Amino acid sequence: MAVERIHQLVDTFGRVVNYLRISVTDRCNLRCQYCMPADGVPWVPKEQVLSFEEMVRIVRVMSGMGISKVRITGGEPLVRRGLTDLIAQFSRLAGVEDISLTTNGVLLAPQARALFKAGLGRINISLDSLRPDSFASITRANLFGRIREGIQAAVEAGFNPIKLNMVVIRDVNDDEIADFARLTKHSHFEVRFLEYMPLDGYGNWDRSKLVSGAEILERLRAVGELEKIRSDDRSEVAQRFRLSGCQGEIGLILPVTQPFCANCSRLRVTAEGFIKNCLFGQEEWNLRDLMRAGGSDEEVREMIRLAVMRKKAAFGGLDLDNDRSARNMSQIGG
Ligand code: SAM
Ligand code: SF4
């Protein structure tokens, strides 16, 4: 629902914060190599995870402060029961104009239509390989067929475009860049290549596994002529392209070699209710305990403002080569 904006969250670098990524669970039904160790990470006890009521309160308060875009993430958001209902509640909040979801697609097929009807506007599905065996080795699960069904169901439900996220890792799936790019030929998929970030939770990342945006572009140019798609939205993180003669788009998300921190518009809330002002930032603010102790909306706003004012210029102040985040992606909400 659109409202006239009178409030804005602006950090000390003049960046307007209008985008929340909220994690609805830290649990997941996959164990992607680049996100989690093989035996997973300890789950947050259920009573420490935010209830839907608490999440709706956070989004209501934030939307009154200028947050208009909300992305639901996790862990795997579709393992949280009743997500459709949560989306319907978000969509009724004044000021929330755009609700999106990032999912691994395993549980999507039976839910896609209901999610669309509930007000979910956009969907990103993670897909790191088009080869079932390689997919199984990356995600440590034999569920390629389920994800294919999930993608098909999302198309049939009416999501358009559908973004497919591929984390490119050297000697793991970088030989599939061209095949992924060709998926855009006859479809409205936006295939997005993501640089591998040091957020795997077990220190497996190093620069030798990173395939840089420059290298991805070089491989794409071998597939066909690339036309750049210009955008006026400064906070857009993807560099967008179209291969000549193709219907869909290609997006490059290059947080490591071409960071977009200077235009960052994001805040994050983890499944257990901590605000993070950067994916890499180590500072956190405990909204859950504040709310459970009876904190007023004004106190909640105060904590949100503080988190925004403490946003650092880049990478949450972390040195990617030498420091490690205390959380992996599934524990932050990627
Ligand atoms: N489970 C859902 C999924 O996989 O789409 C949502 C959560 S997942 C943490 C969100 C996104 O983060 C996914 O697109 C995933 O590929 C990406 N991701 C996870 N670990 C990453 C890493 N180390 N580097 C880059 N992207 C990563
Ligand atoms: Fe789960 Fe998503 Fe992490 Fe894969 S990337 S382990 S699907 S949270």
Side-chain angles (χ1 to χ4, degrees), residues 34-35 73-76 102-104 126 165 167 195-197 329 334:
Y34 51 74
C35 178
T73 179
E76 171 46 39
T102 301
T103 173
N104 63 27
S126 300
N165 287 355
V167 179
E195 282 181 344
Y196 180 24
M197 293 185 275
M329 271 293 227

Side-chain angles (χ1 to χ4, degrees), residues 28 30-32 34-36 74-76 104 330:
C28 189
L30 298 183
R31 296 284 180 280
C32 303
Y34 51 74
C35 178
M36 273 195 211
E76 171 46 39
N104 63 27
S330 67

